[in-house]
Amino acid sequence: FFVPYLNCAKSPGSALSSTWVGFDGFFSQANSVEQGGIASDCSANGKATYFAWWEMYPRSEIKAPLRIDPGDSVTASVTYNVTTHNYQIALADNTRRSRFTILRKCPHVVLSGKLLRCPHDSAEIISEAPSTGRKVRIARLADYGAISFTAISITDSRGVRAGIVSPHWNATKIIQLVSSGGPARARPTPVAARTFDTYWLREG
């Protein structure tokens, strides 16, 4: 995808947006998410900021040492090695020919008396208003205009490789972002085999 040019004039005050790929989170019993992506945020004074990040949720997001500017072409990937049990999170700025890669195992975290599991039983391609704060609230969505995902590729545990929509997968779900009790904030297009777009509608 291309890093969007934010219109912070249409997002007064602090407004955030994240574009990422990762594993888990599709099924309700998954408490983990292994993810990497790009943040495109508007500050309270109307300034746009961009940075790369990675996260092994429920541990906190960590900024990646990768320069990101609007208009840059970015490739994001997350892979799991069944031999080493490592997750590799990689972000490449194709425009600058720079890359960040990190290896991590499933976090050793106890939730409700049980050790966290990272089942890696789903794959996600997400454009969202991230959650913030200790009380976890959804941030206002920064005006990113439109984001197009292309060359989407998923490889399952059998080694089968295909796009996001494929007869190989038993479930595909599109979630349209809706603020609590309010109108939709963003709208995705229908998903093709390897592409889809998402359009910003409003900040909250």
Side-chain angles (χ1 to χ4, degrees), residues 68-204:
I68 297 294
D69 285 331
D72 287 359
S73 166
V74 170
T75 299
S77 66
V78 178
T79 58
Y80 177 71
N81 188 308
V82 296
T83 303
T84 63
H85 306 293
N86 280 323
Y87 290 91
Q88 176 180 281
I89 301 171
L91 298 164
D93 188 312
N94 306 312
T95 303
R96 299 182 178 281
R97 298 183 180 179
S98 56
R99 182 179 176 88
F100 167 81
T101 303
I102 194 163
L103 298 176
R104 283 292 184 272
K105 294 188 184 297
C106 184
H108 190 86
V109 176
V110 176
L111 296 174
S112 302
K114 295 182 178 180
L115 187 64
L116 178 77
R117 292 180 59 250
C118 297
H120 47 269
D121 56 8
S122 65
E124 281 76 48
I125 301 96
I126 302 290
S127 174
E128 66 173 358
S131 58
T132 61
R134 292 184 178 180
K135 294 187 177 180
V136 186
R137 66 177 185 84
I138 303 299
R140 291 185 294 177
L141 183 62
D143 180 4
Y144 57 77
I147 294 176
S148 297
F149 295 92
T150 62
I152 296 168
S153 179
I154 300 169
T155 304
D156 70 6
S157 59
R158 302 165 296 172
V160 175
R161 185 175 181 177
I164 191 171
V165 176
S166 169
H168 297 295
W169 321 136
N170 59 12
T172 300
K173 179 167 64 174
I174 300 173
I175 299 175
Q176 187 172 6
L177 185 61
V178 179
S179 54
S180 179
R185 298 192 198 183
R187 178 168 293 124
T189 62
V191 177
R194 297 185 183 274
T195 66
F196 75 96
D197 304 330
T198 176
Y199 292 92
W200 182 89
L201 298 178
R202 56 186 56 83
E203 69 172 39

Side-chain angles (χ1 to χ4, degrees), residues 45-63:
N45 61 6
K47 181 180 178 181
T49 59
Y50 305 86
F51 62 90
W53 58 271
W54 63 275
E55 184 176 7
M56 296 292 288
Y57 184 84
R59 291 189 173 162
S60 299
E61 169 188 297
I62 298 175
K63 288 186 178 182

